[in-house]
Amino acid sequence: MAKTKVKPGTAKTNRKQSARNSDAARDYGADKIQVLQGLEAVRKRPGMYIGSTGARGLHHLVYEVVDNAVDEAMAGFCDEISVIISADSQVRVEDNGRGFPVDIHPTEKKPGVEVAMTTLHAGGKFDHSSYKVSGGLHGVGVSVVNALSEWLEVEVMRDGKTYHQRYERGNKASELNIVGDTDDTGTIVRFRPDPDIFPDLDYQYDTLVSRLRELAFLNAGVRITITDERGEKTKNGEFQYDGGLVEFVKYLNRNKKAIHSKSMTVNTTRDEVEVECAIQYNESYTETLLTFVNNINTTHEGGTHLSGFKAALTRTLNAYAHDRNLFKKAEFSLSGDDVREGLTAVLSVKVMEPQFEGQTKTKLGNSEVRGIVEAAMNEALGSWLEENPSAARALITKAMQAARAREAARKARDLTRKKSGLDTGVLPGKLADCSIDDPSLSELYLVEGDSAGGSAKMGRDRNYQAILPLRGKILNTIKARVDKVLSNEEIRTIITAIGTGFGEDEFELDDARYNKIIIMCDADVDGAHIRTLLLTFFFRWMKELIEAERIYIAQPPLYRVWKGKKEFYAYDDAERDRAIERLGGNGVNVQRYKGLGEMNPDQLWKTTMDPASRTIQKVTMEDETLVRELFDELMGEEVEPRKKFIKEYARFVRNLDV
């Protein structure tokens, strides 16, 4: 695991010590805590504050506490953060920042830490003399963590003393007491999520690691550690990157071949907006572009900073190529998609008053930021291209190849309109469509093989269930340009059947002909591979379907167990054994399904297609960066990452066809 250690006495440590002793540190008191509103409805409607009470909301509790520590780091007062997950799902987050204010708030007449812990949207983030920029402001505050925890304890080290206070389900359970002396400063928050709120308290280590690693990249020099004490063996992670975004890009490109070894970087401040960016191109056909505002991941919805970045990238590369007559035709120009093929970039901006919009409130709306980012990128990228002519030519060449592929794809669309129905209202001939006209009520089954497709067509409910049989394995779209993708007949058929169009410029979710798209493959190795190829295609070219939670995976049974007229269907060996036991053991028949085609239409309906009895898994994307890394690892050009993955996870395989 990549990590970089900072030696004692470095400039970073000295800056931190200096910041601690500065006027800002001394002036950070309870009067800086501004109260916006109370904390009434959090426990009644937790989804309004943390998104859900599922895995996403559970992990959000940790992020809120960690964000407080990161805000201290951005202000220059903290360089170490640790997270510990204990065996009983307790979470401990510690930082070496200034420590929560403990003096009495001028209007609330309570210690500052108590105000922050018990009042929604109360904190130093609203006072710019305490925090110039903040990511925590975008969240809902540590008070929501307190409200949704069975118990929470806070320990504050500051002014030579250690203070302690306990809360239970958001209510104060003890006064703020001095429990000792200390020479340290910082805050320790311990909490246990309330099982009355969260049905599952199982934190995913990899999910937490992904976010903590991301924060370490975004805050150069800050050391973040995680310890997971659950299970037989303790897991540990340590992240510290003095190179910041440059190391982030290098990490994202670790399974790809870079076109140029030295990243292009931007690091500037204009009109109180900090702009930091790192860019490195690789030989792949995919784009990895991550954006952040005050450490908040805005990759999903983007905003004005992303618009400025894209405009600058397209304009600067076109200007460079035109000035050097690299295009054969004077009127030729590269599109945004062309110049972003093979791009890996991380853009991070710090804004004093961020305005967030969009469905999940992660779309930056500040209009002035676009011009600031665009100007900074134009200047830095132009200089980099001048200073690295061989790399510049390689990038232009790759972009021109992408442009030719885009043009070939356009011609392929035109030539195959009548044949495949792509871009027209003509549906594929092998699609057995449903009769209902309301897309919100209809389902499309993508079925592996003609045999299973035939059973599905006979077993389905024709009113709302459509069947599209797929022959063989589709193209691995991670390794292909758009023209090759569209030359694949099965992919063209899928695109036409779904009806949304294809690619960033054409996709329209509102045009989807089905509310659910259900992947139904055999429960064997080949079926798993086909399922993975389909998910790869949807992630690469129709990601909006995943984000809208329209993609599902059918779960066909592995066994049919019966005796006389009694029968059970089992989805694993343990369930099979329980079924055999329930039927008395002797004279029990067991059938192992090798494929969907072995099922009669009524069996397929009963087990896999009937909404009243079927089991289907919704495909969601909690962490897009983590998902992208997994697809690159499993489906990318490099073989070694796949070997490593297989060696690491082979012991967890339960059903293997040999």
Side-chain angles (χ1 to χ4, degrees):
M1 186 172 292
K3 59 185 179 182
T4 308
K5 294 187 176 180
V6 175
K7 296 179 180 179
T10 60
K12 175 68 181 179
T13 303
N14 291 337
R15 285 198 305 273
K16 175 175 169 292
Q17 294 294 340
S18 175
R20 280 180 174 169
N21 298 326
S22 67
D23 292 339
R26 288 192 295 271
D27 291 343
Y28 181 49
D31 61 322
K32 304 298 184 185
I33 306 293
Q34 295 185 10
V35 181
L36 300 186
Q37 66 181 75
L39 185 66
E40 290 87 11
V42 180
R43 287 184 62 82
K44 289 184 179 180
R45 297 181 180 86
M48 290 178 60
Y49 297 90
I50 58 171
S52 76
T53 56
R56 181 175 299 178
L58 183 72
H59 290 80
H60 190 87
L61 299 185
V62 180
Y63 303 155
E64 281 290 343
V65 182
V66 171
D67 282 347
N68 277 345
V70 171
D71 286 336
E72 281 286 280
M74 284 198 293
F77 298 101
C78 165
D79 61 9
E80 289 196 5
I81 302 168
S82 72
V83 178
I84 300 174
I85 311 296
S86 65
D88 60 349
S89 298
Q90 291 183 34
V91 179
R92 181 184 189 274
V93 179
E94 179 177 1
D95 69 72
N96 65 343
R98 291 170 288 185
F100 269 109
V102 293
D103 55 325
I104 301 300
H105 192 279
T107 60
E108 296 298 301
K109 307 305 179 185
K110 301 174 184 177
V113 61
E114 185 177 327
V115 174
M117 288 291 173
T118 59
T119 308
L120 188 64
H121 293 312
K125 318 298 170 57
F126 302 100
D127 180 275
H128 290 303
S129 65
S130 302
Y131 293 98
K132 185 177 180 182
V133 295
S134 165
L137 176 62
H138 175 66
V140 289
V142 72
S143 59
V144 170
V145 181
N146 190 16
L148 300 178
S149 296
E150 183 180 5
W151 56 264
L152 182 146
E153 294 181 348
V154 60
E155 203 169 292
V156 177
M157 289 82 70
R158 63 179 291 161
D159 308 324
K161 303 292 182 182
T162 300
Y163 301 81
H164 174 271
Q165 191 167 31
R166 180 180 172 91
Y167 308 86
E168 294 175 359
R169 292 184 167 89
N171 298 312
K172 182 176 69 174
S174 74
E175 298 296 331
L176 181 67
N177 298 311
I178 297 175
V179 294
D181 298 325
T182 183
D183 293 328
D184 296 327
T185 63
T187 303
I188 300 173
V189 176
R190 287 183 291 266
F191 68 94
R192 186 174 191 269
D194 192 344
D196 292 343
I197 301 290
F198 300 95
D200 186 356
L201 302 185
D202 186 21
Y203 281 103
Q204 297 299 310
Y205 178 77
D206 288 344
T207 300
L208 292 173
V209 161
S210 178
R211 176 57 179 162
L212 296 180
R213 182 193 291 119
E214 188 175 84
L215 287 169
F217 281 127
L218 292 168
N219 298 274
V222 177
R223 178 175 177 265
I224 303 179
T225 62
I226 180 171
T227 303
D228 186 354
E229 297 176 344
R230 301 168 299 171
E232 297 180 1
K233 188 177 180 181
T234 299
K235 297 179 182 178
N236 295 284
E238 179 180 331
F239 313 102
Q240 188 168 343
Y241 306 97
D242 284 352
L245 299 192
V246 171
E247 291 197 56
F248 199 171
V249 166
K250 184 178 179 181
Y251 172 81
L252 294 171
N253 270 343
R254 69 194 183 282
N255 295 328
K256 301 171 183 175
K257 293 180 180 177
I259 292 178
H260 51 98
S261 58
K262 185 179 179 182
S263 294
M264 191 285 288
T265 60
V266 179
N267 199 331
T268 186
T269 300
R270 300 184 180 205
D271 298 332
E272 296 189 312
V273 174
E274 298 177 31
V275 181
E276 189 177 359
C277 181
I279 293 174
Q280 186 184 46
Y281 278 83
N282 59 71
E283 294 181 359
S284 78
Y285 306 127
T286 58
E287 167 194 334
T288 302
L289 175 51
L290 309 184
T291 65
F292 300 85
V293 177
N294 298 0
N295 288 325
I296 300 162
N297 193 322
T298 56
T299 301
H300 174 51
E301 292 193 274
T304 53
H305 58 318
L306 177 60
S307 299
F309 173 89
K310 287 183 174 181
L313 188 69
T314 306
R315 180 183 296 111
T316 306
L317 285 173
N318 271 304
Y320 181 89
H322 276 297
D323 289 346
R324 284 153 187 79
N325 297 316
L326 299 181
F327 298 148
K328 293 182 180 179
K329 298 180 181 179
E331 69 276 9
F332 178 83
S333 65
L334 299 166
S335 73
D337 286 339
D338 299 334
V339 301
R340 294 195 303 274
E341 183 185 278
L343 169 73
T344 297
V346 180
L347 171 66
S348 174
V349 299
K350 306 286 175 58
V351 185
M352 286 186 63
E353 295 285 355
Q355 300 165 13
F356 289 103
E357 306 167 353
Q359 185 177 358
T360 57
K361 302 301 181 186
T362 55
K363 182 177 182 180
L364 185 66
N366 300 61
S367 58
E368 74 279 5
V369 174
R370 173 176 174 137
I372 291 171
V373 171
E374 191 169 349
M377 284 297 305
N378 278 331
E379 182 179 322
L381 182 57
S383 298
W384 187 86
L385 293 171
E386 293 285 352
E387 296 166 4
N388 298 271
S390 59
R393 283 181 173 271
L395 302 189
I396 298 298
T397 299
K398 182 173 177 61
M400 290 174 66
Q401 290 171 345
R404 285 193 288 269
R406 176 169 51 85
E407 178 62 18
R410 186 191 63 77
K411 291 179 179 178
R413 279 192 180 99
D414 293 341
L415 290 172
T416 57
R417 284 186 180 211
K418 292 183 179 179
K419 180 182 286 188
S420 70
L422 191 62
D423 289 343
T424 73
V426 181
L427 294 173
K430 62 180 181 178
L431 171 69
D433 207 3
C434 53
S435 58
I436 200 167
D437 290 331
D438 188 350
S440 67
L441 302 176
S442 60
E443 304 174 346
L444 172 65
Y445 275 84
L446 303 178
V447 185
E448 174 191 352
D450 291 334
S451 176
S455 292
K457 287 177 182 179
M458 288 187 284
R460 66 177 173 141
D461 186 322
R462 296 170 181 266
N463 290 318
Y464 64 92
Q465 290 180 327
I467 308 297
L468 181 62
L470 300 176
R471 185 177 301 169
K473 296 178 180 179
I474 70 166
L475 183 72
N476 178 359
T477 53
I478 286 287
K479 300 179 180 180
R481 279 196 172 104
V482 61
D483 56 331
K484 192 173 181 182
V485 171
L486 283 176
S487 68
N488 184 276
E489 183 179 349
E490 297 300 295
I491 289 177
R492 288 202 310 270
T493 301
I494 292 170
I495 296 169
T496 306
I498 293 174
T500 56
F502 171 79
E504 183 178 340
D505 296 334
E506 296 184 9
F507 185 93
E508 290 291 343
L509 183 63
D510 291 341
D511 292 339
R513 302 182 63 251
Y514 308 97
N515 186 53
K516 289 185 176 71
I517 298 162
I518 304 170
I519 299 171
M520 188 161 70
C521 299
D522 293 344
D524 59 10
V525 173
D526 280 340
H529 189 202
I530 292 170
R531 186 163 56 245
T532 302
L533 289 168
L534 286 168
L535 289 173
T536 302
F537 165 71
F538 285 126
F539 176 74
R540 170 102 193 265
W541 294 105
M542 293 178 145
K543 189 169 57 179
E544 294 88 347
L545 289 173
I546 298 176
E547 293 168 344
E549 300 185 346
R550 299 283 188 94
I551 306 294
Y552 292 79
I553 296 174
Q555 299 293 292
L558 280 175
Y559 300 99
R560 175 178 175 241
V561 183
W562 78 97
K563 183 177 180 180
K565 294 184 177 181
K566 291 186 177 181
E567 69 175 2
F568 297 98
Y569 291 94
Y571 292 83
D572 55 36
D573 291 353
E575 200 171 351
R576 175 202 60 192
D577 295 341
R578 287 194 297 270
I580 293 172
E581 187 177 347
R582 290 175 67 182
L583 291 171
N586 295 324
V588 175
N589 301 291
V590 178
Q591 179 184 4
R592 167 70 156 89
Y593 290 119
K594 286 291 185 182
L596 296 166
E598 294 184 9
M599 291 188 192
N600 296 328
D602 62 320
Q603 294 174 340
L604 193 58
W605 163 256
K606 186 189 304 182
T607 62
T608 317
M609 301 182 72
D610 182 0
S613 56
R614 72 186 179 189
T615 298
I616 58 175
Q617 292 181 329
K618 183 187 292 183
V619 178
T620 60
M621 190 162 51
E622 298 289 338
D623 187 328
E624 184 176 334
T625 304
L626 204 59
V627 173
R628 183 181 286 106
E629 290 174 8
L630 186 60
F631 275 117
D632 284 342
E633 197 171 18
L634 298 181
M635 309 300 288
E637 296 283 356
E638 298 298 310
V639 175
E640 197 56 39
R642 278 193 289 282
K643 287 183 178 179
K644 183 180 178 182
F645 182 91
I646 291 169
K647 289 178 181 178
E648 185 174 353
Y649 293 101
R651 64 185 185 276
F652 299 115
V653 174
R654 290 185 298 171
N655 300 302
L656 181 63
D657 292 346
V658 293

